Amino acid sequence: MARRRQAVTIKHVASDAGVSLQTVSRVINDEPNVRPAMRERVQEAIDRLGYVPSIAARRMSGSRSYLILALNDRARTIADWQSREGSDWVGQMLLGGMLTCARYGYRMMVELVDTHADHVERELAAAFAALQPDGVILTPPHSENPVIIAFLDRQGIPFARIGSRDAGPGVPITMDDEGSARRATQLLIGLGHQRIGLIGGSSEYSLSQRRTDGWRAEMAQAGLSTDGLFAPGDFTYESGLASAHALLAQDDSPTAIIASNDRMALAVLAVAEKRKLCVPGDLSIISFDNSAAVRHAQPPMTAIEQPVAETVSQAVEHIIRELKTGEKQAEAVRVPAALIERQSTAPLAKARDNGLPGSA
Amino acid sequence: MARRRQAVTIKHVASDAGVSLQTVSRVINDEPNVRPAMRERVQEAIDRLGYVPSIAARRMSGSRSYLILALNDRARTIADWQSREGSDWVGQMLLGGMLTCARYGYRMMVELVDTHADHVERELAAAFAALQPDGVILTPPHSENPVIIAFLDRQGIPFARIGSRDAGPGVPITMDDEGSARRATQLLIGLGHQRIGLIGGSSEYSLSQRRTDGWRAEMAQAGLSTDGLFAPGDFTYESGLASAHALLAQDDSPTAIIASNDRMALAVLAVAEKRKLCVPGDLSIISFDNSAAVRHAQPPMTAIEQPVAETVSQAVEHIIRELKTGEKQAEAVRVPAALIERQSTAPLAKARDNGLPGSA
DNA sequence: ATGAAAGCGCTAACAT
DNA sequence: ATGTTAGCGCTTTCAT
């Protein structure tokens, strides 16, 4: 193993440009008190030598690590990767996060942490001691884990909480769950549906509540009842099956169902098929989460896109801004989500009202 | 911005245990020349204080960075993420890579690099200067980029080349492309097919050639001709459409087609539908790459699983072994891939021979 | 088997 | 506006 030292250091640049280390440091950190001519001379030496500062050395001298850590739930993330269902949270995070980080000279690293477990704190402390990140992005369900939030607050480190609207330390950023649920409900109402069911998400996620709230609010505004139209779920396919069965077994069963994620939407589709209900002829379905499986389902499903990349990108922007200016962002951010119409939603078939299956 | 210093350093541990820094260093690095009793005493102090070494400080003193860099092609990776088609290379890389790294106290970082471009070298040098990784994992098409390989070789850094079988510096690791192609061909021959077509992958990837070779070899072994049964492709859906049309427009068109990736397989399915061919009644299809879209297609497709996670995991193991022992692994590694049968493959329908569509 | 001293590349604090 | 000095936390010599 050859000892791999930095090939070209700030010293080389300094001697090449005939200035002190400090002046070079000022140039690379874009600090004041350097005359333009001098700045130019130093920059030229930097370019000529191909100098790039070492992150490790910068961190050592008590400055930035230029690292932003994305904290994801270990069990969930691994399960998602293993299922290969294409609900590619981490990929979308990296898409938004890495590219935005790169624009500011930062890098993004993914770290897996167990939400449940008494050792969260130790795990976090270890990751921080090893990596010393400058900022952190929390994803659900970490975004609302009081232990994690308190830890980050104590560190005095800027962080974003994705999927949370709670006040408190850290910037809360959501993907407008309530608004999306309202828009989905609106779409169905516009198609003539009146009995619109909703399968909720895991109560561990506050966004589940917000989606349910949005649906209830929109139904109420249209003067429609939600009695017997809510079924609980926990984001698993199995819970989707159970809830779809429960909703559709009723006398006055819904003519449309909104599922709080993609797997439960696929479950609704499966149940509809089993009950010989045509989608969208007899039953309209809308999925929260526009994953590959949803798009390739038969029929392709109307879905709400989760703008994960855009959300993480904004989170990074906030963190870096706070790092630079020191001012905390107080207000919550809400990233709009698109509703994509496909073939799982259709006008309510009148024929069904007289009890006859199928159309005229 | 509070100055964030290391909370507990090697100094704290040393004074807590009443030994010198050096002894603590020996313990955490598992070096010899420490008496068991002393080792234990130090370890206890480490545990009590929750000490974790700083990666930056370690790197600074000319030792490891405990970082393994995964180099992915920028354009391709971003396009994959944006398409959201669920062919989740990076996710699977992280699944295999991060977890294996963690077992050895390493971390994995993803870095995007342009394969084409005169500035590859500068980009690489910058990433290395900033991050100083201990090892690198090259993914296609980087795995066969001579500029990148030469650069890494000059650095004297251990690296793996995924998807390459070429000799040279770095450990070549493939997912047994040739064997998988043979097995897919075998399956179809076993079902009675004789005219088995193949749509090749981009010639920029050597694995494309290996897949084609496997198919040709297996056909030859069964005494079957491949005349007019090969169509070129470049992994895009569009190229899949063109090639499927070309193959199926012939008089003596194939009764089965193997597509060198998932998108082209989906294209074959679309073309079959347009030509009123039943899958698998009139045409069997096998996809290289078992992505979500392939599994949710109508019908769900028989596919070859790309064991990306396992492959990257093995790559990490090799790199860390080389880091520890200093000995290079010479032989190429071949990770077996599973062939998953679904409903896009079926026995050759005899009825079709007399020109009548459908079965008896 | 253990310890002491030097230095890695950089920045903060303090000169000038 | 520029330079000098003193570490940051750790590992590598080199003593003992």
Side-chain angles (χ1 to χ4, degrees), chain A residues 36-61:
Chain A
M38 173 108 307
R39 191 176 291 275
E40 201 174 318
R41 192 167 65 165
V42 172
Q43 189 58 54
E44 206 171 276
I46 290 175
D47 294 343
R48 184 158 13 134
L49 301 177
Y51 165 73
V52 176
S54 151
I55 281 189
R58 286 182 134 176
R59 170 70 269 181
M60 275 305 294
S61 57

PDB file of all heavy atoms in Angstrom, chain A residues 36-61:
ATOM      1  N   PRO A  36      -8.072  41.964  -6.186  1.00  0.00           N
ATOM      2  CA  PRO A  36      -8.459  41.232  -7.403  1.00  0.00           C
ATOM      3  C   PRO A  36      -7.263  40.663  -8.153  1.00  0.00           C
ATOM      4  O   PRO A  36      -7.302  39.515  -8.599  1.00  0.00           O
ATOM      5  CB  PRO A  36      -9.170  42.295  -8.242  1.00  0.00           C
ATOM      6  CG  PRO A  36      -9.717  43.255  -7.245  1.00  0.00           C
ATOM      7  CD  PRO A  36      -8.756  43.273  -6.095  1.00  0.00           C
ATOM      8  N   ALA A  37      -6.234  41.447  -8.279  1.00  0.00           N
ATOM      9  CA  ALA A  37      -5.065  40.991  -9.037  1.00  0.00           C
ATOM     10  C   ALA A  37      -4.445  39.760  -8.370  1.00  0.00           C
ATOM     11  O   ALA A  37      -4.122  38.765  -9.026  1.00  0.00           O
ATOM     12  CB  ALA A  37      -4.032  42.111  -9.130  1.00  0.00           C
ATOM     13  N   MET A  38      -4.340  39.849  -7.056  1.00  0.00           N
ATOM     14  CA  MET A  38      -3.772  38.749  -6.278  1.00  0.00           C
ATOM     15  C   MET A  38      -4.658  37.507  -6.389  1.00  0.00           C
ATOM     16  O   MET A  38      -4.199  36.400  -6.603  1.00  0.00           O
ATOM     17  CB  MET A  38      -3.662  39.192  -4.817  1.00  0.00           C
ATOM     18  CG  MET A  38      -3.246  38.100  -3.892  1.00  0.00           C
ATOM     19  SD  MET A  38      -1.558  38.277  -3.266  1.00  0.00           S
ATOM     20  CE  MET A  38      -0.595  38.477  -4.702  1.00  0.00           C
ATOM     21  N   ARG A  39      -5.944  37.755  -6.248  1.00  0.00           N
ATOM     22  CA  ARG A  39      -6.920  36.669  -6.346  1.00  0.00           C
ATOM     23  C   ARG A  39      -6.744  35.929  -7.669  1.00  0.00           C
ATOM     24  O   ARG A  39      -6.737  34.703  -7.723  1.00  0.00           O
ATOM     25  CB  ARG A  39      -8.331  37.248  -6.250  1.00  0.00           C
ATOM     26  CG  ARG A  39      -9.441  36.221  -6.068  1.00  0.00           C
ATOM     27  CD  ARG A  39     -10.796  36.916  -5.888  1.00  0.00           C
ATOM     28  NE  ARG A  39     -10.921  37.624  -4.625  1.00  0.00           N
ATOM     29  CZ  ARG A  39     -11.303  37.056  -3.489  1.00  0.00           C
ATOM     30  NH1 ARG A  39     -11.589  35.768  -3.465  1.00  0.00           N
ATOM     31  NH2 ARG A  39     -11.387  37.751  -2.387  1.00  0.00           N
ATOM     32  N   GLU A  40      -6.594  36.725  -8.688  1.00  0.00           N
ATOM     33  CA  GLU A  40      -6.464  36.149 -10.023  1.00  0.00           C
ATOM     34  C   GLU A  40      -5.179  35.312 -10.135  1.00  0.00           C
ATOM     35  O   GLU A  40      -5.181  34.214 -10.680  1.00  0.00           O
ATOM     36  CB  GLU A  40      -6.430  37.281 -11.046  1.00  0.00           C
ATOM     37  CG  GLU A  40      -6.795  36.843 -12.452  1.00  0.00           C
ATOM     38  CD  GLU A  40      -6.880  38.064 -13.359  1.00  0.00           C
ATOM     39  OE1 GLU A  40      -7.451  39.091 -12.903  1.00  0.00           O
ATOM     40  OE2 GLU A  40      -6.364  37.986 -14.489  1.00  0.00           O
ATOM     41  N   ARG A  41      -4.117  35.850  -9.575  1.00  0.00           N
ATOM     42  CA  ARG A  41      -2.838  35.152  -9.659  1.00  0.00           C
ATOM     43  C   ARG A  41      -2.919  33.802  -8.938  1.00  0.00           C
ATOM     44  O   ARG A  41      -2.474  32.779  -9.438  1.00  0.00           O
ATOM     45  CB  ARG A  41      -1.740  36.008  -9.020  1.00  0.00           C
ATOM     46  CG  ARG A  41      -0.363  35.488  -9.329  1.00  0.00           C
ATOM     47  CD  ARG A  41       0.691  36.505  -8.977  1.00  0.00           C
ATOM     48  NE  ARG A  41       0.695  36.727  -7.537  1.00  0.00           N
ATOM     49  CZ  ARG A  41       1.686  37.333  -6.866  1.00  0.00           C
ATOM     50  NH1 ARG A  41       2.700  37.827  -7.519  1.00  0.00           N
ATOM     51  NH2 ARG A  41       1.647  37.475  -5.570  1.00  0.00           N
ATOM     52  N   VAL A  42      -3.545  33.834  -7.779  1.00  0.00           N
ATOM     53  CA  VAL A  42      -3.684  32.598  -6.998  1.00  0.00           C
ATOM     54  C   VAL A  42      -4.569  31.598  -7.743  1.00  0.00           C
ATOM     55  O   VAL A  42      -4.251  30.418  -7.858  1.00  0.00           O
ATOM     56  CB  VAL A  42      -4.273  32.901  -5.604  1.00  0.00           C
ATOM     57  CG1 VAL A  42      -4.606  31.619  -4.880  1.00  0.00           C
ATOM     58  CG2 VAL A  42      -3.301  33.738  -4.800  1.00  0.00           C
ATOM     59  N   GLN A  43      -5.686  32.109  -8.250  1.00  0.00           N
ATOM     60  CA  GLN A  43      -6.621  31.236  -8.959  1.00  0.00           C
ATOM     61  C   GLN A  43      -5.930  30.551 -10.132  1.00  0.00           C
ATOM     62  O   GLN A  43      -6.173  29.376 -10.427  1.00  0.00           O
ATOM     63  CB  GLN A  43      -7.820  32.055  -9.454  1.00  0.00           C
ATOM     64  CG  GLN A  43      -8.945  31.201 -10.018  1.00  0.00           C
ATOM     65  CD  GLN A  43      -9.448  30.190  -8.986  1.00  0.00           C
ATOM     66  OE1 GLN A  43      -9.803  30.559  -7.876  1.00  0.00           O
ATOM     67  NE2 GLN A  43      -9.438  28.906  -9.342  1.00  0.00           N
ATOM     68  N   GLU A  44      -5.062  31.296 -10.757  1.00  0.00           N
ATOM     69  CA  GLU A  44      -4.343  30.762 -11.901  1.00  0.00           C
ATOM     70  C   GLU A  44      -3.452  29.591 -11.475  1.00  0.00           C
ATOM     71  O   GLU A  44      -3.404  28.545 -12.128  1.00  0.00           O
ATOM     72  CB  GLU A  44      -3.472  31.875 -12.486  1.00  0.00           C
ATOM     73  CG  GLU A  44      -3.159  31.710 -13.949  1.00  0.00           C
ATOM     74  CD  GLU A  44      -2.485  32.977 -14.454  1.00  0.00           C
ATOM     75  OE1 GLU A  44      -3.219  33.932 -14.797  1.00  0.00           O
ATOM     76  OE2 GLU A  44      -1.237  33.000 -14.466  1.00  0.00           O
ATOM     77  N   ALA A  45      -2.771  29.785 -10.363  1.00  0.00           N
ATOM     78  CA  ALA A  45      -1.916  28.717  -9.833  1.00  0.00           C
ATOM     79  C   ALA A  45      -2.756  27.491  -9.482  1.00  0.00           C
ATOM     80  O   ALA A  45      -2.384  26.347  -9.761  1.00  0.00           O
ATOM     81  CB  ALA A  45      -1.163  29.206  -8.605  1.00  0.00           C
ATOM     82  N   ILE A  46      -3.906  27.748  -8.893  1.00  0.00           N
ATOM     83  CA  ILE A  46      -4.814  26.650  -8.525  1.00  0.00           C
ATOM     84  C   ILE A  46      -5.195  25.854  -9.764  1.00  0.00           C
ATOM     85  O   ILE A  46      -5.115  24.631  -9.798  1.00  0.00           O
ATOM     86  CB  ILE A  46      -6.088  27.206  -7.836  1.00  0.00           C
ATOM     87  CG1 ILE A  46      -5.732  27.744  -6.452  1.00  0.00           C
ATOM     88  CG2 ILE A  46      -7.165  26.140  -7.751  1.00  0.00           C
ATOM     89  CD1 ILE A  46      -6.884  28.418  -5.741  1.00  0.00           C
ATOM     90  N   ASP A  47      -5.610  26.580 -10.798  1.00  0.00           N
ATOM     91  CA  ASP A  47      -6.032  25.923 -12.028  1.00  0.00           C
ATOM     92  C   ASP A  47      -4.874  25.171 -12.666  1.00  0.00           C
ATOM     93  O   ASP A  47      -5.032  24.036 -13.114  1.00  0.00           O
ATOM     94  CB  ASP A  47      -6.597  26.948 -13.010  1.00  0.00           C
ATOM     95  CG  ASP A  47      -7.873  27.578 -12.493  1.00  0.00           C
ATOM     96  OD1 ASP A  47      -8.470  26.989 -11.562  1.00  0.00           O
ATOM     97  OD2 ASP A  47      -8.267  28.645 -12.991  1.00  0.00           O
ATOM     98  N   ARG A  48      -3.733  25.818 -12.694  1.00  0.00           N
ATOM     99  CA  ARG A  48      -2.580  25.190 -13.348  1.00  0.00           C
ATOM    100  C   ARG A  48      -2.200  23.886 -12.667  1.00  0.00           C
ATOM    101  O   ARG A  48      -1.927  22.888 -13.311  1.00  0.00           O
ATOM    102  CB  ARG A  48      -1.400  26.155 -13.317  1.00  0.00           C
ATOM    103  CG  ARG A  48      -0.180  25.612 -14.059  1.00  0.00           C
ATOM    104  CD  ARG A  48       0.691  26.758 -14.437  1.00  0.00           C
ATOM    105  NE  ARG A  48       0.164  27.897 -13.663  1.00  0.00           N
ATOM    106  CZ  ARG A  48       0.867  28.751 -12.975  1.00  0.00           C
ATOM    107  NH1 ARG A  48       2.086  28.672 -13.009  1.00  0.00           N
ATOM    108  NH2 ARG A  48       0.326  29.718 -12.285  1.00  0.00           N
ATOM    109  N   LEU A  49      -2.203  23.918 -11.326  1.00  0.00           N
ATOM    110  CA  LEU A  49      -1.786  22.725 -10.578  1.00  0.00           C
ATOM    111  C   LEU A  49      -2.929  21.725 -10.397  1.00  0.00           C
ATOM    112  O   LEU A  49      -2.731  20.610  -9.939  1.00  0.00           O
ATOM    113  CB  LEU A  49      -1.239  23.134  -9.212  1.00  0.00           C
ATOM    114  CG  LEU A  49      -0.032  24.083  -9.241  1.00  0.00           C
ATOM    115  CD1 LEU A  49       0.356  24.469  -7.831  1.00  0.00           C
ATOM    116  CD2 LEU A  49       1.145  23.424  -9.948  1.00  0.00           C
ATOM    117  N   GLY A  50      -4.139  22.172 -10.718  1.00  0.00           N
ATOM    118  CA  GLY A  50      -5.281  21.293 -10.512  1.00  0.00           C
ATOM    119  C   GLY A  50      -5.523  21.034  -9.036  1.00  0.00           C
ATOM    120  O   GLY A  50      -5.901  19.938  -8.631  1.00  0.00           O
ATOM    121  N   TYR A  51      -5.350  22.055  -8.253  1.00  0.00           N
ATOM    122  CA  TYR A  51      -5.507  21.886  -6.806  1.00  0.00           C
ATOM    123  C   TYR A  51      -6.971  21.795  -6.399  1.00  0.00           C
ATOM    124  O   TYR A  51      -7.823  22.538  -6.885  1.00  0.00           O
ATOM    125  CB  TYR A  51      -4.846  23.059  -6.082  1.00  0.00           C
ATOM    126  CG  TYR A  51      -5.244  23.171  -4.637  1.00  0.00           C
ATOM    127  CD1 TYR A  51      -4.753  22.275  -3.702  1.00  0.00           C
ATOM    128  CD2 TYR A  51      -6.130  24.159  -4.209  1.00  0.00           C
ATOM    129  CE1 TYR A  51      -5.128  22.373  -2.366  1.00  0.00           C
ATOM    130  CE2 TYR A  51      -6.508  24.262  -2.890  1.00  0.00           C
ATOM    131  CZ  TYR A  51      -6.015  23.364  -1.971  1.00  0.00           C
ATOM    132  OH  TYR A  51      -6.394  23.464  -0.664  1.00  0.00           O
ATOM    133  N   VAL A  52      -7.265  20.874  -5.506  1.00  0.00           N
ATOM    134  CA  VAL A  52      -8.588  20.747  -4.901  1.00  0.00           C
ATOM    135  C   VAL A  52      -8.370  20.520  -3.410  1.00  0.00           C
ATOM    136  O   VAL A  52      -7.607  19.641  -3.027  1.00  0.00           O
ATOM    137  CB  VAL A  52      -9.363  19.555  -5.492  1.00  0.00           C
ATOM    138  CG1 VAL A  52     -10.685  19.387  -4.787  1.00  0.00           C
ATOM    139  CG2 VAL A  52      -9.572  19.740  -6.976  1.00  0.00           C
ATOM    140  N   PRO A  53      -9.032  21.316  -2.571  1.00  0.00           N
ATOM    141  CA  PRO A  53      -8.810  21.185  -1.129  1.00  0.00           C
ATOM    142  C   PRO A  53      -9.244  19.811  -0.609  1.00  0.00           C
ATOM    143  O   PRO A  53     -10.192  19.225  -1.113  1.00  0.00           O
ATOM    144  CB  PRO A  53      -9.698  22.275  -0.520  1.00  0.00           C
ATOM    145  CG  PRO A  53     -10.190  23.107  -1.632  1.00  0.00           C
ATOM    146  CD  PRO A  53      -9.994  22.354  -2.905  1.00  0.00           C
ATOM    147  N   SER A  54      -8.533  19.329   0.369  1.00  0.00           N
ATOM    148  CA  SER A  54      -8.905  18.053   0.993  1.00  0.00           C
ATOM    149  C   SER A  54      -9.998  18.275   2.024  1.00  0.00           C
ATOM    150  O   SER A  54      -9.864  19.105   2.923  1.00  0.00           O
ATOM    151  CB  SER A  54      -7.684  17.441   1.666  1.00  0.00           C
ATOM    152  OG  SER A  54      -8.075  16.656   2.766  1.00  0.00           O
ATOM    153  N   ILE A  55     -11.073  17.527   1.868  1.00  0.00           N
ATOM    154  CA  ILE A  55     -12.179  17.646   2.813  1.00  0.00           C
ATOM    155  C   ILE A  55     -11.726  17.299   4.221  1.00  0.00           C
ATOM    156  O   ILE A  55     -12.100  17.949   5.192  1.00  0.00           O
ATOM    157  CB  ILE A  55     -13.331  16.717   2.373  1.00  0.00           C
ATOM    158  CG1 ILE A  55     -14.101  17.384   1.238  1.00  0.00           C
ATOM    159  CG2 ILE A  55     -14.250  16.422   3.529  1.00  0.00           C
ATOM    160  CD1 ILE A  55     -15.369  16.658   0.884  1.00  0.00           C
ATOM    161  N   ALA A  56     -10.891  16.286   4.327  1.00  0.00           N
ATOM    162  CA  ALA A  56     -10.436  15.844   5.645  1.00  0.00           C
ATOM    163  C   ALA A  56      -9.660  16.956   6.342  1.00  0.00           C
ATOM    164  O   ALA A  56      -9.886  17.255   7.513  1.00  0.00           O
ATOM    165  CB  ALA A  56      -9.580  14.597   5.513  1.00  0.00           C
ATOM    166  N   ALA A  57      -8.772  17.592   5.596  1.00  0.00           N
ATOM    167  CA  ALA A  57      -7.954  18.643   6.202  1.00  0.00           C
ATOM    168  C   ALA A  57      -8.813  19.837   6.610  1.00  0.00           C
ATOM    169  O   ALA A  57      -8.620  20.438   7.664  1.00  0.00           O
ATOM    170  CB  ALA A  57      -6.879  19.081   5.229  1.00  0.00           C
ATOM    171  N   ARG A  58      -9.785  20.148   5.782  1.00  0.00           N
ATOM    172  CA  ARG A  58     -10.664  21.262   6.107  1.00  0.00           C
ATOM    173  C   ARG A  58     -11.423  20.966   7.391  1.00  0.00           C
ATOM    174  O   ARG A  58     -11.513  21.800   8.290  1.00  0.00           O
ATOM    175  CB  ARG A  58     -11.670  21.468   4.983  1.00  0.00           C
ATOM    176  CG  ARG A  58     -11.045  22.106   3.774  1.00  0.00           C
ATOM    177  CD  ARG A  58     -12.081  22.318   2.719  1.00  0.00           C
ATOM    178  NE  ARG A  58     -11.964  23.664   2.171  1.00  0.00           N
ATOM    179  CZ  ARG A  58     -12.687  24.111   1.170  1.00  0.00           C
ATOM    180  NH1 ARG A  58     -13.619  23.357   0.641  1.00  0.00           N
ATOM    181  NH2 ARG A  58     -12.521  25.318   0.721  1.00  0.00           N
ATOM    182  N   ARG A  59     -11.938  19.755   7.452  1.00  0.00           N
ATOM    183  CA  ARG A  59     -12.692  19.368   8.631  1.00  0.00           C
ATOM    184  C   ARG A  59     -11.802  19.435   9.881  1.00  0.00           C
ATOM    185  O   ARG A  59     -12.208  19.879  10.935  1.00  0.00           O
ATOM    186  CB  ARG A  59     -13.237  17.957   8.423  1.00  0.00           C
ATOM    187  CG  ARG A  59     -13.849  17.309   9.631  1.00  0.00           C
ATOM    188  CD  ARG A  59     -15.168  17.940  10.033  1.00  0.00           C
ATOM    189  NE  ARG A  59     -15.027  19.037  10.996  1.00  0.00           N
ATOM    190  CZ  ARG A  59     -16.036  19.721  11.511  1.00  0.00           C
ATOM    191  NH1 ARG A  59     -17.268  19.450  11.140  1.00  0.00           N
ATOM    192  NH2 ARG A  59     -15.834  20.668  12.367  1.00  0.00           N
ATOM    193  N   MET A  60     -10.572  19.010   9.707  1.00  0.00           N
ATOM    194  CA  MET A  60      -9.645  18.960  10.826  1.00  0.00           C
ATOM    195  C   MET A  60      -9.405  20.318  11.440  1.00  0.00           C
ATOM    196  O   MET A  60      -9.284  20.460  12.652  1.00  0.00           O
ATOM    197  CB  MET A  60      -8.301  18.414  10.345  1.00  0.00           C
ATOM    198  CG  MET A  60      -8.242  16.931  10.329  1.00  0.00           C
ATOM    199  SD  MET A  60      -8.653  16.282  11.924  1.00  0.00           S
ATOM    200  CE  MET A  60      -7.265  16.910  12.852  1.00  0.00           C
ATOM    201  N   SER A  61      -9.325  21.298  10.591  1.00  0.00           N
ATOM    202  CA  SER A  61      -9.001  22.617  11.127  1.00  0.00           C
ATOM    203  C   SER A  61     -10.244  23.292  11.685  1.00  0.00           C
ATOM    204  O   SER A  61     -10.293  24.507  11.822  1.00  0.00           O
ATOM    205  CB  SER A  61      -8.376  23.471  10.036  1.00  0.00           C
ATOM    206  OG  SER A  61      -9.246  23.550   8.945  1.00  0.00           O
TER     207      SER A  61
END
